Amino acid sequence: MKTKTLYRPVGEKEMILIIESNYKKFPPRLDWQPIFYPVLNEDYASEIAEKWNTRDEAGNYLGFVTQFEVLEEEINKYPAQNVGARDHNELWIPSEELILLIRRL
C-alpha cells in the first residue's frame, strides 16, 4: 500500500500530548477547531511553525514540525486546499473524521 507524507506544525502543548501518546496520535481538536489541517510540504509547515507557533503564548512560543505517513487511498478523499502562496497547500479533514482516518493506518 502506498503512503503519503504529511506535515503538521504544532506548538509545545500539542507536541507534549503527541509525545505522551508515544507518537501514535494527534490530540483531539478543540470545540472551536472543526478541521484538522495537515500541510503537504515541509517548507510550508516550517514557515507556519516559525511565523505562527513561535508567536503564540498558548504554545509557549515554540514551534515544531511533525511528519507522518497516511495511506494514499484514504488521504486522496480530501482535495488539497491552497491558502495563499503557490506552495501553501493543506488538507481540510473534518475533526470527526480524524480518528477514523488514523485508525485505518
Side-chain angles (χ1 to χ4, degrees):
M1 290 188 190
K2 291 178 90 175
T3 62
K4 178 148 180 80
T5 302
L6 300 176
Y7 305 89
R8 173 89 174 119
V10 298
E12 181 185 50
K13 290 179 183 178
E14 193 170 5
M15 190 71 222
I16 288 169
L17 293 172
I18 292 167
I19 292 167
E20 288 174 350
S21 78
N22 269 343
Y23 301 93
K24 300 281 187 212
K25 63 181 180 177
F26 286 95
R29 308 306 293 155
L30 301 174
D31 290 341
W32 54 271
Q33 298 172 312
I35 296 173
F36 176 76
Y37 53 97
V39 301
L40 302 180
N41 69 75
E42 188 173 11
D43 288 340
Y44 178 41
S46 295
E47 183 179 335
I48 294 169
E50 180 183 337
K51 291 184 177 178
W52 291 81
N53 296 108
T54 60
R55 291 170 174 83
D56 181 21
E57 181 179 3
N60 202 23
Y61 304 105
L62 295 171
F64 301 90
V65 174
T66 63
Q67 175 181 322
F68 57 102
E69 300 286 321
V70 179
L71 290 175
E72 199 171 84
E73 68 184 49
E74 292 297 328
I75 214 63
N76 286 341
K77 296 176 184 177
Y78 306 95
Q81 306 291 326
N82 181 272
V83 295
R86 186 173 61 168
D87 66 339
H88 288 187
N89 298 308
E90 57 192 36
L91 301 176
W92 295 352
I93 302 172
S95 295
E96 65 271 8
E97 294 177 26
L98 180 60
I99 190 79
L100 298 174
L101 181 69
I102 291 174
R103 285 186 180 160
R104 293 182 187 133
L105 297 179

